[in-house]
Each structure stands twice: as C-alpha cells, then as structure tokens.
Amino acid sequence: MKRIVTMQDISCVGKCSLTAALPVLSAMGLETAVLPTAVLSSHTMFEHVSFFDLTDQIPSILHAWKEEHFAFSAIYTGYLGSAKQISYAGDLMDQFGEDALILVDPCMADHGRLYRGFTMDFAEQMKQLCRKASIICPNLTEACLLLNIPYQESFSEEDLHAMLRKLADLCRGTAVLTGISTKPETIGAIAYSRSEDAFHIAMTEKEPQQFHGTGDLWASTFLGALCSGRRLQEAMQTACVFVQKSIALTLQEPDHNLYGVNFEQALPDLIEMMQKKADN
C-alpha cells in the first residue's frame, strides 16, 4: 500500500484541509500520514474560532520520522499559515521527497485577493516552495500571484495556455489551473505537462452554489487518483466529478450549512469510480 503524507491544518468542526484529505485519500485505498500545522476549533467560515499553532512541533516530528526511516510515495501540502511553515514544508520535501510525487496546492488567495493575514512576501515564499513540486494546482488568483501578473476574472484560452507553460516552469513540469470555467455552465481544470508538451482539460456541470473546502477535496482526490495509477487527465476528471457530485448532494438538503459539502455521501461514488478503472 502506498503511503502519502499531507501537511496542512485540521479543523475540529467543518470540512476542509485534513478533515477532507484524510477520509478521501483513505477511501481511495491509500495510507495517509498527517503532519498537522495547527488545530482550529472549526474552519474560518465560522465567527468564533480558536487556534493552536503547531509550527514549533514540526522539526521534532520530521526528526523522529527520519530516525525511523519512514518513506512516502507522495507528499502533499495544502494550506500553510506562515512563512515558517512554508520553510518546514520545504524541509519535509528535502528529507523525504527524493523518490516521491510532490503536490503543492498553493492555498493563499481567491477571487482576486490574498487570504486574510497573507502578504506578497508570503506569495513569494510559496513560489519558492512550488519549485520543489512535481505538480502544482493553483486557482486563477494564485496563478496570477505566482506569475506576478494582474488578476482578471477570465482569460482567453491562449492566455491560459501561456500561463500554464510559465507555471510548469515554476515547478518540475506539471501545472494545473483549478476552478476554470470555459463555458458559463461548466467548471473544471486545465493542465499542462511539460514532459508530454500537452494540455489536458477536465470539466463538469457547474452547480449554482460554491462551498468552502472544495479546493481541498479536489486536490486530495486528484492526488489520490494519480497515486492509484491514473493518468493526468483521468485524475483531473475524477476529482472534478467527485467535487461536483458532493456539491449536488449538499444542495439536495434544504438546510445545507456552512460546514462544507456532503462529500461523505459521495464517497461510495468515488470508490466505484476507482474500482471500475481498476477492473478495466
């Protein structure tokens, strides 16, 4: 069984970061180790949130793992709350990433602006972390920050392809733009693989509402599919379908709330998707 390690925070209530990544990757048949960066009482869409920073614990955890000669098939970083955590994520990759697939989801911005508490210096540090990654999967805002270009809500296909080529040069060869709409009724992802010199696209029907944490679901599913032997485009499509199904199930509830999408109800569909491919 392949072992993945994911480094991000954990919210005691709410569906994002580790509380999304761990069940999804486990359901896909992958052993999932965790490197928690902080413990929150709930995700930050709620008004009252307690926060316990685990940054200072990370070096000792990495040292203990090194002493035990642990190895990982993949390393996956999500939301990192500080420049110091980015530095420690780099240490994780340097110490355990020689033979690992490394996915960086540069969670730092959306809708044209940085998340609260982040600065352009943080974005520059994230860019340096991306250089260690096999694959990066920014949204459009994060891509603009990584490339130091002005944000706009839509780009032409030609511009998106140019952006993806430049993003692939920031990492070790594969970049994915997430949350992209090529038509008003669809949403998905576009990727560029430098080794193939090819673009890949995956789209699903766009649901009428957005929810917190779906980016974490997408990245976790995408990585899980890659680690299960799916090719790039197949992994992208699997992630898009799973997220779309999770949102659709959530919207069936008249009292759906801020906790996040009902991805738990869609896990049987994800397992079935994975099993069908394995049987082919």
Side-chain angles (χ1 to χ4, degrees):
M1 180 183 290
K2 289 185 177 179
R3 180 186 298 122
I4 293 169
V5 59
T6 178
M7 178 179 176
Q8 45 192 310
D9 62 275
I10 184 165
S11 296
C12 298
V13 176
K15 305 176 187 183
C16 64
S17 299
L18 286 181
T19 41
L22 181 56
V24 167
L25 289 167
S26 297
M28 298 177 83
L30 299 160
E31 180 185 344
T32 308
V34 299
L35 185 55
T37 58
V39 177
L40 288 76
S41 58
S42 65
H43 65 56
T44 54
M45 291 296 289
F46 292 95
E47 182 179 357
H48 306 288
V49 180
S50 72
F51 176 88
F52 186 76
D53 191 351
L54 296 173
T55 303
D56 291 341
Q57 300 300 312
I58 295 172
S60 60
I61 293 172
L62 294 180
H63 176 74
W65 286 358
K66 200 72 173 178
E67 291 294 303
E68 294 292 344
H69 305 288
F70 289 157
F72 303 102
S73 300
I75 297 171
Y76 158 37
T77 62
Y79 182 92
L80 301 172
S82 66
K84 182 177 282 190
Q85 289 186 0
I86 292 177
S87 176
Y88 288 154
D91 292 342
L92 170 67
M93 295 169 188
D94 291 341
Q95 294 179 41
F96 298 95
E98 182 177 358
D99 300 315
L101 172 67
I102 300 176
L103 173 68
V104 170
D105 182 3
C107 300
M108 58 180 173
D110 205 356
H111 304 296
R113 64 185 66 181
L114 284 160
Y115 293 148
R116 184 176 56 190
F118 288 168
T119 64
M120 289 304 298
D121 181 65
F122 181 91
E124 182 61 33
Q125 294 298 315
M126 184 63 75
K127 183 189 297 188
Q128 299 310 312
L129 184 67
C130 287
R131 298 191 186 280
K132 299 177 183 288
S134 314
I135 305 174
I136 59 174
C137 56
N139 62 33
L140 192 56
T141 303
E142 291 156 350
C144 290
L145 287 166
L146 292 171
L147 296 175
N148 296 315
I149 62 176
Y151 170 79
Q152 57 191 60
E153 291 189 1
S154 63
F155 288 85
S156 68
E157 182 178 341
E158 182 180 359
D159 287 339
L160 290 175
H161 284 185
M163 290 172 67
L164 281 163
R165 288 183 182 276
K166 292 177 181 178
L167 288 167
D169 288 339
L170 281 182
C171 61
R172 285 158 39 190
T174 301
V176 186
L177 273 172
T178 62
I180 299 296
S181 293
T182 55
K183 300 177 181 178
E185 67 275 12
T186 63
I187 191 167
I190 303 175
Y192 173 71
S193 167
R194 192 168 59 215
S195 63
E196 300 173 308
D197 191 23
F199 294 94
H200 302 272
I201 185 168
M203 291 285 154
T204 56
E205 179 184 350
K206 188 175 184 178
E207 296 294 334
Q209 188 171 339
Q210 294 181 334
F211 289 88
H212 187 74
T214 51
D216 300 333
L217 278 183
W218 194 96
S220 301
T221 310
F222 173 63
L223 177 66
L226 289 174
C227 289
S228 299
R230 276 47 174 186
R231 297 178 66 85
L232 178 62
Q233 198 279 333
E234 294 174 309
M236 292 163 56
Q237 191 66 42
T238 299
C240 289
V241 169
F242 177 60
V243 171
Q244 187 270 333
K245 180 68 173 179
S246 299
I247 296 173
L249 287 168
T250 307
L251 292 174
Q252 289 179 15
E253 290 191 358
D255 59 344
H256 54 266
N257 52 46
L258 293 174
Y259 287 32
V261 293
N262 296 2
F263 73 86
E264 299 92 339
Q265 294 176 323
L267 285 175
D269 298 273
L270 177 60
I271 293 169
E272 183 179 359
M273 281 192 288
M274 301 300 292
Q275 189 60 51
K276 281 184 179 178
K277 182 63 181 180
D279 291 342
N280 290 339

